[in-house]
Structures are given as C-alpha cells and as structure tokens.
Amino acid sequence: MPRHLRSAAAGLLAAAAALATAGSATAAPVVPGAPRVAGGSASASIAGIPSSCWAFASYLQDDRMYSEMGLSGSRVRFAFPETESGRLSYVPIAQVVRTSQETRTGIRLDGYAVSPGGTVQHVVRDWSDGGVMRTTRRTVLSGWSKARALSAGSGVVYAVIGDKLRRYDVSSTGSLVDGTTLSTDFGGVQTLSLTSWSSYGDTLVASTSGGSLQRVKTSFAKDTATRTVMRPSGFAGSKAVSAGGCDGGADVLLGVSAAGKIYAYYDRDGFLKDAYQPSGRLASTQIADLPTYSN
C-alpha cells in the first residue's frame, strides 16, 4: 500500500490503493464538485455493499486542494494532505489522475487538468509521508475549452470535447500526441471512467445529460467507440462516476449526484447482465460542505 494511505493523515483503504497502483482501472478520475470533508481524514458508513468491493476517486475541494475518497465494502473514507504547494490556480473543467506510483518518500500522482480557457496541463503531485503535497504542472495542449470529461487507459488518455470522443497517446515526457477521433456522438456524455483495458481496446463507463449510464468499448484496430445503455435513467446531472470492482465478477461504482450526495452502485452480475442498481448512500449530514463548481 502506498505510504500516504498508511499514514494517520490519510483514510483510504488497501483496496483503494490497489486500484490506484495495479488494478484494472488505474486511471481514477478527479472529481470536480465532490463534497468537501472538513478536519482532515474522515470516514462514513454505507450499507449494502459486499466487503470485497472497492472503488476510488480523487477530487478537489472548494479551495482546489487535492483530495481522495475510497469505497471498501461498507465504508467510504476521505483523505487529503495537510498542505499543498503549487495547487491549481483555476477550477478545471475536466481532469484525470492517470497513474499513481510509490516513491521513497510517499507517492507520486500523474495526470492532466483542463483550464476554463481550454489549456491542457500535465499535473504531477508528490504526496509525502508527512502529509505535504508538492504540485507541479506544464502546458501540453490548448484549444480544449469544450472539454467535459477525461479518463485514461494504459498509455492513453480519453477526452470528451464537444460532441467528440478523442484518444491521445501519452509520450515519455507526458505530452499528449497522435490524437484520434473515435466518435462524433458524445455530445451528451458528462462523465467518463475506465473500467478495464486489453490489447484490443478499453472499456469505460459514461453517464449522460439524459440520465443514462452507458458502457463504452473502444477498439485500437478500428479507432472506434461503441456504446451500450446499461441503465436508462437515474444519472442525470451526475458530477462524477468512478468505476471499481468486486471479487467474483461483480462491479461497483462510486458516484456524486447532482445534489452532491455520494452514492454506491452495486451490480452483482457485472457489466454483462443487469445494469447497476443503487445499494446505499451517505446521508447528507455526513458531508461538511459542497463546492460551488462542477465538471
């Protein structure tokens, strides 16, 4: 487990750390608009989820400080550094944490953020065992003012820009290169999260402005993306949807609703059969305050 998740200042579980370092959905999305939990680490109970299930998401508080939340079985836990130097000077319209690596002094988080003006920055956060985070960033692209959602696979980043789903390769220096349009029918997609990858393509889950939850399968050979509706309603206005997993082929989602409540969605049969069914939620009294921005 990464050191920062073992420290007293951090409250995420080993299952969430496994997702961030080695699981099939390494690229957990940052969650603009997720609730802020005051006072350092916090935890809350959530009912109806098997103990083997986990999901992980990172988000920004209303002061733009990087934070994390993780679901493991019946618990959702929150963590953020004591201080963060170099934090973003803007509220991103889309962002993603692509990789998480343990270092000698803590953990390094590598990802991307898009400013309201459409500037794309490569963002690296070093989180030390002492609870101190140092954030550095550099501009890699521009012209993404219509971006709404980012996700990442193995060596690639997916971006919903206007009505397009585009895939970019990640260079050895962290630049985004060789952009390819996979679909021009993504105008209603609001959130995007990786669920699994293979040598043939990636599988993602998306929520739409119309309220549906969809499975997105991409093809590396054909440069295409196909969508299947898993649930026709219930996800309108979602601020974030992050995919996790369970033992035995089941699936779980960690989502932030339009009202700012955190939901867990559990599907015992996985993606191939039933759509996600809501299993429980955190009571709003367990959330301290809500940022005024969203993605």
Side-chain angles (χ1 to χ4, degrees), residues 101-207:
Q101 294 182 322
E102 190 171 2
T103 66
R104 182 178 59 84
T105 58
I107 193 168
R108 172 165 290 183
L109 305 163
D110 188 294
Y112 298 90
V114 185
S115 75
T119 298
V120 185
Q121 293 194 310
H122 180 209
V123 182
V124 178
R125 294 178 170 96
D126 286 293
W127 194 346
S128 72
D129 285 346
V132 176
M133 177 172 284
R134 179 176 178 268
T135 298
T136 58
R137 48 197 166 96
R138 69 180 182 90
T139 297
V140 294
L141 285 173
S142 61
W144 284 29
S145 60
K146 294 183 178 180
R148 289 191 306 282
L150 298 181
S151 189
S154 179
V156 299
V157 166
Y158 293 95
V160 177
I161 306 173
D163 61 356
K164 298 177 182 178
L165 175 66
R166 290 181 58 81
R167 184 183 63 216
Y168 292 81
D169 292 335
V170 179
S171 74
S172 60
T173 61
S175 296
L176 300 180
V177 298
D178 299 330
T180 301
T181 297
L182 305 183
S183 174
T184 58
D185 189 30
F186 271 64
V189 171
Q190 300 296 308
T191 71
L192 196 66
S193 175
L194 183 76
T195 64
S196 64
W197 63 68
S198 72
S199 59
Y200 303 101
D202 295 323
T203 301
L204 306 101
V205 62
S207 66

Side-chain angles (χ1 to χ4, degrees), residues 35 44-47 78 260-263 280-288:
S45 296
I46 193 166
F78 305 85
K261 292 182 172 61
I262 299 174
Y263 284 80
R281 70 178 185 184
L282 293 179
S284 59
T285 54
Q286 293 171 304
I287 303 302

